[in-house]
Amino acid sequence: MDPTTAGIIGIAIMVFLFMTRMPVAFVMMLVGFVGFSLLTSWKGGLNLMSRNIYDAFASYELSTIPLFILMGQIAFNSGISRRLYNTAYHFLGDIRGGLAMATVSACTAFGAVCGSSPATAATMSTVGIPEMKRYGYANSLSAASVASGGGLGMIMPPSVVLIIYGVLTEQSIGALFVSGILPAILLTILFIIGIYLQCKMNPALGPKGGSFTTREKLKSLANLIDTIIIFVLVIGGLFLGWFTPTEAASIGVIGVLALAAVKRQLTWEGFVNSLYETLRTSCMVLVLIAGAVVFGKFLAVTRIPFDIANWVSAFDMPPFAIMGAIILIYFIGGCFMDSLALIMLTIPVFFPVVTGMGYDPIWFGIIIVLVTEMGVITPPVGINVYVVYGMCQKIAPDVTLEEVFKGILPFMLSIIVGIALLFLFPQIILFLPGLMY
């Protein structure tokens, strides 16, 4: 059979298996193994499977993933998220929509020690939604601000998605981390502007919260100390070249654990829960990586990525139009697939095309993470929306799924504006990495 035809059949089978709700990692691994074996040999396929599964779980570079996940879990169980929200609430709570703005700001700050979008959304749901309900915020704004703000955990370092992108494309994880800082801040500002405009047009969406004196506001800044110490230690160490990403992750875990122990903010039950969630999430991510690598090897044998690259280069279209089409594909794919799986599935196809057109791989990584961030808040997948809705069943049972999705649209527009700005001004992404080298 012609390798290209085999590749197309393999992709079609994979899509069909996705529709049966079979786990993505196993689908990619199964299709990749069978396809690779048919095009080479069964012995070669078995060797590929065993080697890549072992490499994924034994990789020194990928050990950053469980370490950063553990750092985020310990930070969550030691109450850092509540203190971050408290500070943002003190400064923004007395303006219309201020509690939603505080939630988004706290999501960005918590993303600096977490790195997981669903984890950030789940954490801030328990902190922000009850407070917004108390002040009469509309369900659509309160739930949507948490779901959208949680997506900032995908781009704010240390981001698990950026780690995987760096491993798959052999880019500097440190450079990817620092390149995500300014876009995350930009998106936070755009979210805040979007909330302000919503509440300006419809004041009933977000009434004013409590007001605080200047002294109380300044006193609340003490809540930021833990996060600042960890962020400066981890990202500052990477930026200055003191640590490798794996060493930075280890330092982060030790730092969060030490701060929690000194302040007596982490219970034994919380510590055990942190280990359990870290093990569960890390295994899921590493199996996904192993499956994506096996499938990527199959695609390489079929030469489909190279055929697509040659096909695209033959188009009489400017590079920005082709890049726009790729972004549209990621947006549509993100509506139907988990963002992590989508990136691992498509990077082997689109990365050669993008770099062949002369685009910076660091810039492309941030853009793709932003686009797939839209996928975590759009139906039918919209994992952050379902996470927030699930949390609301415990803390605010009157919130409906329709209300959450209804409130998402203004945040989607903010993300689109952010992507457009980063497209027009790529130095927003590349400025900090440029200082590293």
Side-chain angles (χ1 to χ4, degrees), residues 372-423:
T372 52
E373 181 185 336
M374 296 171 70
V376 304
I377 57 174
T378 51
V381 175
I383 186 170
N384 274 18
V385 172
Y386 291 107
V387 166
V388 171
Y389 175 67
M391 298 300 295
C392 285
Q393 297 312 294
K394 305 174 186 176
I395 56 179
D398 62 315
V399 177
T400 66
L401 191 60
E402 291 75 16
E403 286 177 314
V404 187
F405 277 120
K406 178 184 175 183
I408 287 297
L409 182 58
F411 294 96
M412 290 275 291
L413 295 175
S414 296
I415 297 174
I416 292 170
V417 171
I419 292 170
L421 288 173
L422 295 173
F423 210 102

Side-chain angles (χ1 to χ4, degrees), residues 149-409:
L152 295 169
M154 289 176 63
I155 190 169
M156 190 69 179
S159 164
V160 172
V161 178
L162 287 177
I163 293 172
I164 292 171
Y165 175 85
V167 171
L168 292 177
T169 60
E170 298 182 349
Q171 299 300 309
S172 166
I173 294 174
L176 284 166
F177 276 179
V178 298
S179 68
I181 296 173
L182 294 182
I185 294 172
L186 170 66
L187 208 58
T188 304
I189 293 170
L190 291 173
F191 280 178
I192 289 174
I193 292 172
I195 293 168
Y196 173 80
L197 293 176
Q198 288 183 75
C199 295
K200 187 78 172 176
M201 292 185 288
N202 184 3
L205 283 176
K208 292 182 179 181
S211 59
F212 300 90
T213 65
T214 302
R215 183 178 180 181
E216 287 173 324
K217 291 179 179 179
L218 293 176
K219 187 177 179 181
S220 73
L221 291 174
N223 293 324
L224 299 177
I225 293 175
D226 291 358
T227 303
I228 291 173
I229 289 174
I230 299 303
F231 187 77
V232 170
L233 193 62
V234 174
I235 306 303
L238 277 173
F239 187 81
L240 296 173
W242 293 349
F243 315 131
T244 64
T246 305
E247 291 166 347
S250 304
I251 293 292
V253 171
I254 293 171
V256 171
L257 198 54
L259 287 170
V262 167
K263 295 188 174 184
R264 298 178 180 273
Q265 294 165 338
L266 182 65
T267 64
W268 176 251
E269 182 183 0
F271 179 67
V272 172
N273 285 338
S274 299
L275 294 176
Y276 171 75
E277 287 299 323
T278 298
L279 180 62
R280 188 178 66 85
T281 307
S282 300
C283 287
M284 177 194 72
V285 172
L286 292 174
V287 171
L288 259 175
I289 293 173
V293 171
V294 171
F295 185 74
K297 298 290 186 183
F298 164 57
L299 283 183
V301 172
T302 66
R303 298 197 58 79
I304 284 180
F306 309 103
D307 291 340
I308 291 176
N310 293 332
W311 180 57
V312 168
S313 62
F315 282 154
D316 188 20
M317 292 172 61
F320 75 86
I322 297 173
M323 189 68 204
I326 292 173
I327 288 174
L328 181 62
I329 291 170
Y330 270 100
F331 170 65
I332 295 172
C335 293
F336 296 93
M337 277 188 72
D338 174 71
S339 57
L340 201 59
L342 177 65
I343 286 176
M344 289 190 290
L345 188 63
T346 55
I347 283 301
V349 176
F350 290 123
F351 187 74
V353 176
V354 172
T355 53
M357 291 189 296
Y359 284 102
D360 189 282
I362 299 293
W363 176 86
F364 178 63
I366 298 299
I367 291 293
I368 291 310
V369 171
L370 272 176
V371 175
T372 52
E373 181 185 336
M374 296 171 70
V376 304
I377 57 174
T378 51
V381 175
I383 186 170
N384 274 18
V385 172
Y386 291 107
V387 166
V388 171
Y389 175 67
M391 298 300 295
C392 285
Q393 297 312 294
K394 305 174 186 176
I395 56 179
D398 62 315
V399 177
T400 66
L401 191 60
E402 291 75 16
E403 286 177 314
V404 187
F405 277 120
K406 178 184 175 183
I408 287 297
L409 182 58

Side-chain angles (χ1 to χ4, degrees), residues 77-206:
N77 283 294
S78 61
I80 284 180
S81 56
R82 185 169 295 278
R83 295 195 293 277
L84 291 173
Y85 180 82
N86 183 54
T87 299
Y89 173 42
H90 272 71
F91 279 86
L92 298 169
D94 59 349
I95 60 177
R96 293 195 183 279
L99 294 179
M101 298 176 190
T103 300
V104 168
S105 302
C107 284
T108 305
F110 188 68
V113 293
C114 181
S116 169
S117 174
T120 302
T123 302
M124 287 302 160
S125 295
T126 60
V127 177
I129 288 179
E131 199 68 20
M132 286 187 273
K133 290 287 291 181
R134 188 161 71 91
Y135 282 95
Y137 272 56
N139 289 339
S140 58
L141 178 61
S142 58
S145 63
V146 176
S148 304
L152 295 169
M154 289 176 63
I155 190 169
M156 190 69 179
S159 164
V160 172
V161 178
L162 287 177
I163 293 172
I164 292 171
Y165 175 85
V167 171
L168 292 177
T169 60
E170 298 182 349
Q171 299 300 309
S172 166
I173 294 174
L176 284 166
F177 276 179
V178 298
S179 68
I181 296 173
L182 294 182
I185 294 172
L186 170 66
L187 208 58
T188 304
I189 293 170
L190 291 173
F191 280 178
I192 289 174
I193 292 172
I195 293 168
Y196 173 80
L197 293 176
Q198 288 183 75
C199 295
K200 187 78 172 176
M201 292 185 288
N202 184 3
L205 283 176

